Amino acid sequence: QVQLVESGGGLVQPGGSLRLSCAASGSIFSANAMAWYRQAPGNARELVAFITSGGTISYGDSVKGRFTISGDLAKNTVYLQMNNLKPEDTAVYYCFYDAINRAWGQGTQVTVDS
């Protein structure tokens, strides 16, 4: 099995920044891609950003220009730098690992509130 450990969530004021980290361990292979999703109460889970082993990066429209995904997929780690946070960014953020197997992290809460 694959375990994904996320960290870096918390409470921040609007306009602030947070950096999320995710590391995979266990029965892992070099990832084809890793991604961040988020889910706010009452909403469906949505893609925030993904990065592939080939270097392709993509962002959801609502975070473009504010969030930056990075990582070392050979080491199965991924990060999400979140700047200029808005109250609508409040959600549980999940890390996703895609290789021969797939896995989700347990989620980390991000709350943007003054």
Side-chain angles (χ1 to χ4, degrees):
Q1 285 189 341
V2 178
Q3 293 82 42
L4 297 178
V5 178
E6 300 144 333
S7 61
L11 172 64
V12 64
Q13 293 185 341
S17 299
L18 285 174
R19 186 173 187 254
L20 306 183
S21 300
C22 174
S25 62
S27 300
I28 58 175
F29 303 86
S30 291
N32 298 317
M34 294 186 75
W36 289 98
Y37 285 75
R38 68 185 182 186
Q39 188 168 17
N43 290 355
R45 191 170 295 190
E46 64 172 350
L47 176 68
V48 176
F50 71 80
I51 182 170
T52 73
S53 58
T56 299
I57 290 175
S58 184
Y59 298 95
D61 287 342
S62 61
V63 305
K64 286 180 181 177
R66 300 187 298 122
F67 291 11
T68 302
I69 190 170
S70 62
D72 184 345
L73 267 61
K75 297 181 179 179
N76 296 301
T77 57
V78 67
Y79 307 97
L80 185 69
Q81 178 66 43
M82 305 184 293
N83 297 329
N84 190 21
L85 282 159
K86 303 176 181 181
E88 51 264 41
D89 294 318
T90 296
V92 178
Y93 284 69
Y94 297 91
C95 179
F96 177 69
Y97 159 90
D98 178 57
I100 295 176
N101 46 2
R102 293 178 170 179
W104 289 93
Q106 79 285 356
T108 185
Q109 177 70 45
V110 171
T111 302
V112 185
D113 193 350
S114 56

